[in-house]
Amino acid sequence: MAKIVVIGGTGLIGSKVVAKLREHGHDAVAASPNTGVNSLTGEGLADALVGADTVVDVSNSPSFAADDVLEFFTTSTRNLLAAEAVAGVTHHVALTIVGTNRPQSIPYFAAKVAQEQLIRDSGIPYSLVHATQFFEFVGSIADISTEGDTVSLPGALIQPIAAEDVATAVARTAAGTPSGDFEIAGPEAFGMDEFARRALSFRHDPRTVVRDDSAPYYGAQIAERTLIPIEGARIFETTLEEWLPLNPPRA
């Protein structure tokens, strides 16, 4: 069984990945600032990677400001790759996003593109898991799109996925051999406005969701199919209707 270091291993996805890997007998190490490992500063990286076969990066920037997120993903990825080269790591796994290879102007996506290129150019065998939007972010998407009692969102298609399924995909990838780029998604595609409308309705949220194709998504305009997977994506089974009863909104 492999030693697998999970950067961001105490977060939403990382904690699930660590648990799944340990269930299958792997030596999974949860590495994050909380455990003394900081990929942005390099603190603790060398010690954490001693004897590691695989590194999984599911870390995320604490700030989504354009300059901050670019700095986070490029600096932390450079630090990781340099430490992996010294440690002899043979598989780098990173969680990224569906749509980074399509025309768009989302600063967060641009930062992930830069991260992906660093990984491809590193010479270390890699897997890049491109995921669609998580069900878990439906509340925050609605909140940043709210003015008064109205939520304005475009009808651009989205095919969201449960965080649990994302973690399953990442853990399986980490336990396997490098597989390059591939996409994962949930089973249903619908408009972003419909995504929010279904969730808010189920949660008895009084806000009204309206479709406005000029409305931004995280500050940028998106095309109809930017956020949905291409043919050949790995599709997971959890539906929004199955996920909602098990995931009440945060207080």
Side-chain angles (χ1 to χ4, degrees):
M1 292 296 168
K3 177 180 177 180
I4 302 172
V5 178
V6 182
I7 306 297
T10 59
L12 171 65
I13 301 298
S15 59
K16 296 177 186 293
V17 171
V18 168
K20 291 175 185 293
L21 289 170
R22 288 175 177 170
E23 286 172 7
H24 287 83
H26 295 287
D27 177 12
V29 178
S32 72
N34 293 340
T35 65
V37 182
N38 190 322
S39 59
L40 188 59
T41 65
E43 177 189 0
L45 272 182
D47 289 341
L49 267 56
V50 171
D53 303 286
T54 298
V55 169
V56 176
D57 185 7
V58 292
S59 62
N60 204 0
S61 174
S63 167
F64 282 11
D67 290 344
D68 293 344
V69 73
L70 181 62
E71 172 66 17
F72 176 87
F73 281 119
T74 54
T75 299
S76 62
T77 300
R78 286 191 182 102
N79 288 340
L80 271 177
L81 294 170
E84 289 171 29
V86 172
V89 169
T90 57
H91 188 188
H92 181 99
V93 179
L95 178 61
T96 185
I97 309 169
V98 163
T100 54
N101 60 344
R102 295 160 210 172
Q104 38 71 28
S105 57
I106 303 171
Y108 187 90
F109 280 41
K112 295 299 283 185
V113 168
Q115 178 192 36
E116 292 170 13
Q117 196 58 52
L118 288 170
I119 294 166
R120 295 190 189 102
D121 292 343
S122 70
I124 297 172
Y126 67 89
S127 300
L128 290 173
V129 184
H130 296 255
T132 54
Q133 182 59 269
F134 304 169
F135 290 144
E136 281 75 6
F137 288 103
V138 65
S140 63
I141 290 171
D143 290 345
I144 65 173
S145 305
T146 296
E147 184 171 342
D149 294 324
T150 301
V151 181
S152 299
L153 284 166
L157 294 174
I158 192 168
Q159 196 165 327
I161 186 171
E164 191 72 32
D165 290 340
V166 174
T168 295
V170 172
R172 286 175 180 169
T173 303
T177 56
S179 51
D181 291 73
F182 65 91
E183 296 184 346
I184 61 172
E188 303 170 290
F190 35 73
M192 192 174 297
D193 60 319
E194 184 64 16
F195 177 42
R197 189 176 296 111
R198 290 190 193 183
L200 296 190
S201 175
F202 180 87
R203 292 171 172 177
H204 304 291
D205 189 306
R207 288 176 289 179
T208 299
V209 180
V210 299
R211 175 174 175 171
D212 177 358
D213 288 340
S214 67
Y217 171 74
Y218 287 109
Q221 300 290 319
I222 56 171
E224 182 184 27
R225 304 185 69 84
T226 298
L227 302 178
I228 62 170
I230 60 173
E231 186 176 351
R234 303 176 190 182
I235 305 301
F236 285 77
E237 295 182 355
T238 305
T239 65
L240 181 60
E241 282 66 28
E242 292 168 337
W243 179 86
L244 281 167
L246 302 176
N247 293 273
R250 294 180 180 180

